[in-house]
Amino acid sequence: MKKIICYAVAGGLLTLGSGCTNLDVDVNSKYTTYPNSPIALEAMEADVFYAFRNALGVNYNVAQSLSSDEEVGISFDGDYYDKAAFAHPTLHNFLPDDGCLSYYSDLGSGITKCNTLIETYGDQTTSAAQARAMRAFYHFILMDSFGDTPIIDKLAEGGTSLDRSPRAEVAKWIEKELLEIIPSLPSTVDETTYGKPTRWMAEALLVKLYLNWAVYTAKDVTAYEPSDANEKLNDCVKYCDDIIKSGHFNLSDPYRSKFFPDNGYQIKDFIYAMPYDCVTEKGMHYERYRTWRKTDGGGDDGSTTYYGDKGVKSFGGNISLTPEFASLFSLKGDDRNGVILRDTIYQYDAITREKTGKVWTYKGKPVVLQKNITLKANKDGIVENPEFLNTGATVTGWSQGYKSMKFWVCTSDYKNDRNQSNDVPIFRYADIILEKAEAILRGAKATNGQTPMSLMNEIRSYVHASLLTTAPTLQDILDERGREFITENWRRNDLIRFGKFEDEWGFHKKGFNTARFDKTCRIFPIPTSVLNLNTNWEQNPGY
């Protein structure tokens, strides 16, 4: 199990983790020689597989979650305002220098690492196929986030100017890459392939690409409409079926436990996940921003957190659910309701991680979260600088909005510079089930006797929620995806595909100061640092 590895032999892993080499190189760099040995290959593979780890652990999550209807980023009288780092994505008012967009450089560096491995060891090896899979994945994230992006399929000579390719061309190149390498990728699913590209990871990426095909191949990001024809829907179902028929994945794991700090290769729902460990594989900080602000100093004895153990370090508490999204978690019996911290906060048992009947208190008083978020007003009832999304640095201010507690905090992990050991799933079997349901509902041919209702009821059944008795609508599918994948970085992607990204929610409302509703906001601005290195590029329209 992962936790045994973390504490029993952590010292032995320090030389084998993803940080064992430093290949953080510019996309135009070119190696002439590199040690050709098993140790060197292992080091290069680690850098290829985990180049996205730090970005996924914070910045990517902030950009994706806060720009969707899931969550808002509030501040407390300047505390956690951080130059609007959380307010800008909440209001779709991104600026090129926003820190959460810095993952562009992480991905560019990751692509270079992929190309270095391929060139060093040849393109006919399993390692090369895996590097190509990661290269396609990194291009996918860039294309999804920033639109037009260079297709970097080889190492470039120093000083070479890179041109951005149209988004549609990038999508077609990713498809071609994946179809070519799938037969060469490992199909084994066990501890040795966990967190690494396999055939099933590549097929899950292909499914995601196909379901969003009409989005990515539209003439520009503003032109897409959810009614647009998607020629890839049957292909989407085909690869969903291949993953389903593989027999490697299922929904047998209880919902909440899949995201605990001791999750890992044993979770049958995980097709591809990013491994994290508080000592050797750092970078995961989801609950730092979602745990109530003064949790480290709360509790009846002044130190016990509502997670049930002693508090260490501070929590931000500045990311809350929008009221609209919180309302999704209302199905009777639904296990997913348990990942939402709402209303009066109760103590949880540190071992069972179940809610107890004991009310948790801060300085002797119960803490009650408010579903509807109210900004701080002055004595005249006026909200000054509303774009700060300031709720005030008081118990009332810290308690605005329900909280996600999906990626459970373990104090023994969190004390290590607030690093968590919860692995973050990227592709899940549950996603394949709902993607197949959506593809059929959008017009794909049904297969294997499965219908959108039967597929959606597979999800409802394993989380013990009430089953559907009539065929679902597309809105039903979107709502179910919200419940199932909260905090998993797909909500923005979903909203754009469903034509809901310009809707109103939270503080993203028409008339709110600085909130934007331009369709150009469907992609983010290119970071200034990237434009400075690529002077032949132009900033994305609308920024």
Side-chain angles (χ1 to χ4, degrees), residues 233-269:
L233 290 176
N234 285 325
D235 292 318
C236 180
V237 169
K238 171 185 174 181
Y239 285 98
C240 285
D241 284 344
D242 202 42
I243 293 170
I244 293 169
K245 291 177 181 178
S246 74
H248 289 301
F249 312 100
N250 59 56
L251 299 173
S252 60
D253 300 291
Y255 185 80
R256 290 180 61 232
S257 67
K258 289 189 287 194
F259 311 101
F260 287 160
D262 55 357
N263 63 354
Y265 73 92
Q266 75 277 12
I267 304 298
K268 297 299 184 183
D269 184 31

Side-chain angles (χ1 to χ4, degrees), residues 246-501:
S246 74
H248 289 301
F249 312 100
N250 59 56
L251 299 173
S252 60
D253 300 291
Y255 185 80
R256 290 180 61 232
S257 67
K258 289 189 287 194
F259 311 101
F260 287 160
D262 55 357
N263 63 354
Y265 73 92
Q266 75 277 12
I267 304 298
K268 297 299 184 183
D269 184 31
F270 289 4
I271 297 173
Y272 175 60
M274 183 63 69
Y276 287 94
D277 180 274
C278 63
V279 175
T280 61
E281 298 167 332
K282 296 181 179 181
M284 200 288 198
H285 300 280
Y286 284 16
E287 292 306 321
R288 173 183 178 182
Y289 305 102
R290 294 174 171 89
T291 298
W292 191 74
R293 181 74 179 95
K294 294 295 181 178
T295 297
D296 58 312
D300 291 332
D301 62 1
S303 62
T304 303
T305 72
Y306 53 74
Y307 294 105
D309 49 14
K310 300 297 181 180
V312 292
K313 300 287 185 182
S314 65
F315 294 93
N318 62 310
I319 293 181
S320 297
L321 299 182
T322 69
E324 295 85 355
F325 196 77
S327 294
L328 292 179
F329 294 85
S330 57
L331 296 179
K332 184 177 180 180
D334 193 341
D335 294 342
R336 297 168 300 193
N337 296 339
V339 304
I340 306 300
L341 191 72
R342 68 182 87 197
D343 303 323
T344 300
I345 298 180
Y346 283 81
Q347 185 78 52
Y348 284 76
D349 185 283
I351 297 175
T352 65
R353 296 166 179 147
E354 296 294 333
K355 184 191 292 186
T356 71
K358 182 180 179 182
V359 174
W360 184 80
T361 62
Y362 173 69
K363 294 185 176 180
K365 296 182 179 180
V367 175
V368 182
L369 302 186
Q370 305 300 315
K371 180 179 179 181
N372 294 311
I373 303 171
T374 302
L375 299 182
K376 179 182 177 181
N378 64 20
K379 60 183 179 61
D380 297 319
I382 298 172
V383 176
E384 300 174 347
N385 300 312
E387 69 274 11
F388 285 19
L389 303 184
N390 175 33
T391 59
T394 64
V395 170
T396 299
W398 298 322
S399 303
Q400 296 300 309
Y402 292 169
K403 305 287 187 182
S404 167
M405 54 188 307
K406 183 171 179 173
F407 289 92
W408 187 272
V409 171
C410 174
T411 297
S412 58
D413 292 350
Y414 192 77
K415 69 182 180 181
N416 291 285
D417 297 322
R418 301 187 184 91
N419 284 282
Q420 296 179 237
S421 291
N422 318 62
D423 294 351
V424 175
I426 297 172
F427 299 125
R428 291 207 278 129
Y429 182 72
D431 202 355
I432 296 300
I433 296 297
L434 286 177
E435 285 170 322
K436 180 176 180 180
E438 181 183 337
I440 295 173
L441 198 56
R442 290 185 183 276
K445 182 180 179 181
T447 61
N448 304 321
Q450 294 175 313
T451 65
M453 187 171 78
S454 70
L455 289 161
M456 194 161 155
N457 276 338
E458 286 188 44
I459 302 296
R460 290 284 185 94
S461 179
Y462 101 91
V463 296
H464 306 107
S466 53
L467 300 183
L468 296 176
T469 56
T470 58
T473 65
L474 283 173
Q475 184 64 51
D476 292 330
I477 296 284
L478 180 62
D479 290 348
E480 198 71 17
R481 292 189 60 80
R483 300 181 190 99
E484 184 67 26
F485 305 112
I486 176 177
T487 326
E488 292 185 50
N489 305 303
W490 287 117
R491 188 63 174 177
R492 168 186 160 273
N493 178 281
D494 290 343
L495 290 176
I496 293 171
R497 183 174 68 257
F498 279 81
K500 301 288 186 177
F501 193 64

Side-chain angles (χ1 to χ4, degrees), residues 66-67 81 83-84 86-96 98 101 387 508 513-518 521 524-525 542-543:
L66 295 189
S67 64
Y81 176 66
K83 298 181 180 179
F86 301 92
H88 282 167
T90 297
L91 300 172
H92 289 191
N93 188 27
F94 280 99
L95 296 180
D98 286 339
L101 302 180
E387 69 274 11
H508 182 249
N513 193 28
T514 74
R516 294 188 60 192
F517 294 84
D518 312 69
C521 294
F524 303 140
Y543 297 104

Side-chain angles (χ1 to χ4, degrees), residues 33-48:
T33 60
Y34 198 90
N36 194 334
S37 69
I39 294 176
L41 175 60
E42 183 179 6
M44 294 179 76
E45 285 180 333
D47 273 358
V48 163

Side-chain angles (χ1 to χ4, degrees), residues 166-183:
R167 200 184 202 190
E169 290 184 13
V170 181
K172 293 171 184 175
W173 177 83
I174 293 171
E175 176 191 32
K176 178 177 178 293
E177 280 286 291
L178 294 174
L179 292 175
E180 286 182 3
I181 63 174
I182 281 172

Side-chain angles (χ1 to χ4, degrees), residues 1-2 5 50 188-196 264-266:
M1 298 290 288
K2 181 172 61 175
I5 293 173
Y50 309 126
T188 303
V189 177
D190 58 22
E191 187 174 7
T192 66
T193 59
Y194 181 73
K196 301 175 182 178
Y265 73 92
Q266 75 277 12

